[in-house]
Amino acid sequence: MKSYLPLLLLPAVAVVFTLTEAQSRIQEKSAKTMAKAAESLLTLLTPGQKAKATFAFTDPERTNWYFVPRDDRKGVQLKEMTPEQKAAALALLRTGLSQKGYTKATTIMAMENVLKAIEKGTGPVRDTERYFVTFFGTPPFSASKPWGWRFEGHHFALNVTLVGGKIAASPNFYGTNPAEIRVDDGGMKGTRALKDEEEAARALLTALTPEQQKTAIYDTAAPNDIFTGNKVKVAALEAKGIAYKDLTKEQKKLLDTLIGVHTGNMAAELASARTQKLKKAGRDGILFAWAGETEVGKRHYYRVQGPTFLIEYDNTQNNANHVHSVWRDFDGDFGQDLIAAHLASEKH
């Protein structure tokens, strides 16, 4: 039996949700589109660039992800690319994101110039093109063997794994500093890259009754950052907050909207698969939890946690003007569930 994932502890019993036949066909089509986009970029890279950009699927680098500035990122960065190569890299990124998600990602990248102006050289290297593309597996890419790709830099990370024509796209991280640009620099004043992620949560929080808020707000002090950080494997956090089943019909719609903001960053077929997965696992037990102050502009944190997934969001650093937000799949990060199912099928 082949071992595709020696560095991740697969769950003893993998929780695998079967897509509908139509969704499977759509994902297979998307997987082919991703493969074509990946190979188009690889074809344009020089031998030296290709050597930097490609790793074996089993290489530990595949799960070596982070969303902070770092000097040891692997892959080929946009800064090293020709305009044609760069266009191909961004075309690959588009295959995994919706238009909204892509706009958020490129806005976050553009904000490196804002940080450079604010910090005046006192902080880490800030560069709008210091974002890296990395491939895992051997081209040509196909549904017959697992492969993956990553697009990553400061405050944005998308990890994609493809197995048997199916796609996993987590961990997926979005961050923004400043959360709201308050200086008139580069025509971006007033920009809030992750505005929807905050406002959808506030809409739900303010719709709760005072008694419901006592359940939803589990702490008056917000944590300094998301709890999961850049862990490779995450488990459910402590069960806190108010459950979906305890909400009114209108409040449930608001929680659905909040989840939809996060799933909606992904390409439509990936968002649909995520939504189907959480529905099959059961929505009644999904918890919405808030920590910190409720006043706009103050330190706050929230999470939405279901049986299969976790959304974390915080705005606490830099005087509550610095957001971190992430989507995690307990059994699906880095395609763990897809790989487990693939290995099981190979036994027969």
Side-chain angles (χ1 to χ4, degrees), residues 31-41 147:
K32 289 178 182 178
T33 300
M34 281 187 180
K36 184 177 179 181
E39 289 168 4
S40 293
L41 173 56
W147 68 282

Side-chain angles (χ1 to χ4, degrees), residues 146-186:
W147 68 282
W149 57 278
R150 179 175 69 210
F151 191 105
E152 181 184 279
H154 180 222
H155 273 167
F156 181 78
L158 177 61
N159 297 276
V160 180
T161 306
L162 299 96
V163 183
K166 296 182 175 63
I167 305 169
S170 60
N172 182 203
F173 181 95
Y174 286 83
T176 174
N177 179 22
E180 179 181 0
I181 299 176
R182 296 167 182 166
V183 295
D184 192 9
D185 189 277

Side-chain angles (χ1 to χ4, degrees), residues 52 75-81 127 129-133:
K52 290 173 66 175
V76 59
Q77 61 179 313
L78 296 182
K79 193 175 186 69
E80 302 173 84
M81 297 182 186
D127 192 326
E129 296 186 330
R130 204 177 189 209
Y131 289 80
F132 294 69
V133 181

Side-chain angles (χ1 to χ4, degrees), residues 64-73 130 132 152 230:
N64 180 26
W65 79 289
Y66 215 176
F67 46 83
V68 299
R70 61 191 304 189
D71 295 325
D72 61 345
R73 275 196 170 91
R130 204 177 189 209
F132 294 69
E152 181 184 279
N230 69 321

Side-chain angles (χ1 to χ4, degrees), residues 88-135:
L90 293 176
L92 173 62
L93 179 60
R94 280 183 178 275
T95 65
L97 301 177
S98 65
Q99 182 56 51
K100 275 191 174 182
Y102 180 79
T103 298
K104 290 175 186 178
T106 52
T107 300
I108 287 164
M109 293 160 63
M111 289 176 68
E112 290 294 282
N113 278 338
V114 177
L115 281 175
K116 182 187 287 188
I118 291 172
E119 294 171 346
K120 302 185 188 304
T122 60
V125 175
R126 304 296 187 187
D127 192 326
T128 61
E129 296 186 330
R130 204 177 189 209
Y131 289 80
F132 294 69
V133 181
T134 318
F135 297 98

